[in-house]
Amino acid sequence: MDLEEIKYRMQNQKLYCCDDERLIEEQLKRLDMVHDYNNLKPSQQTEKKEMLKNMFAEIGESCYIETPFYANWGGKNVHIGDRFYSNYNLMLVDDGKITIGDNVTIGAGSIVIKDIPSNCVVAGNPAKVVKYLD
C-alpha cells in the first residue's frame, strides 16, 4: 500500500498498517515535539505558545495545555478554537481530523477521540460534554 493510501485510511478511521517507515519517521518527529513541549519549564510561557502554534493544524487565541499531554500525531490533525484550556494528562487520539470549538475546557486525564463543540466543559474516557457554558 502506498503512503497516500495509508494516510487516507488513517484519517478516515479505516484499518491501516502503521509500519511504513515513512509514516513512522513523520510520526516520530511529531512525537518529539510533544516531548519537547512537555519538558518546558512552567515559566517558559512564550516558548509554550510558540510550540503550540507549530504543533497543531490550527490553534486560536488564549489557548493553554497543561503538561504532560499526549497526542498520536502531536496535534497535526487538531483544529482548536479560541479560549481553550486543558488540564493535566490530556490525550488526543488525532490520527484523523479533530475540531475543538471556542470556549472549551477539558478536564484532567481526558481522552479526546472526536470533535468537541464550542462553549462546553468535557471530561472522561472518552471525553464527553459534562456542562455547556453560557
Side-chain angles (χ1 to χ4, degrees):
M1 190 177 308
D2 74 349
L3 185 58
E4 292 308 312
E5 174 67 16
I6 293 169
K7 286 184 176 184
Y8 173 82
R9 297 181 68 76
M10 178 181 76
Q11 293 169 357
N12 288 282
Q13 300 176 344
K14 296 183 182 295
L15 187 62
Y16 69 96
C17 187
C18 60
D19 66 353
D20 183 280
E21 289 298 322
R22 297 161 297 178
L23 190 69
I24 293 169
E25 182 179 335
E26 182 180 345
Q27 186 177 29
L28 288 174
K29 288 179 186 175
R30 305 296 303 184
L31 292 173
D32 282 350
M33 294 171 77
V34 172
H35 173 82
D36 292 345
Y37 181 84
N38 284 331
N39 285 287
L40 289 173
K41 294 178 184 177
S43 61
Q44 293 179 287
Q45 294 300 304
T46 302
E47 293 88 343
K48 284 186 175 199
K49 286 180 184 179
E50 193 60 35
M51 284 196 75
L52 291 177
K53 287 179 187 176
N54 291 324
M55 292 168 64
F56 288 90
E58 180 180 10
I59 189 161
E61 297 297 318
S62 300
C63 295
Y64 188 76
I65 299 175
E66 294 284 1
T67 55
F69 98 98
Y70 309 94
N72 290 6
W73 283 88
K76 175 184 177 178
N77 300 312
V78 180
H79 301 259
I80 300 175
D82 295 330
R83 295 169 301 284
F84 168 79
Y85 172 79
S86 174
N87 212 327
Y88 302 98
N89 290 311
L90 166 65
M91 182 175 289
L92 298 169
V93 181
D94 63 339
D95 296 70
K97 181 179 176 185
I98 295 177
T99 300
I100 299 173
D102 296 330
N103 305 311
V104 171
T105 298
I106 298 180
S110 295
I111 299 177
V112 175
I113 62 170
K114 61 183 182 177
D115 293 349
I116 296 174
S118 293
N119 305 310
C120 66
V121 176
V122 301
N125 174 13
K128 295 181 181 169
V129 175
V130 295
K131 178 180 177 181
Y132 282 98
L133 306 172
D134 295 331

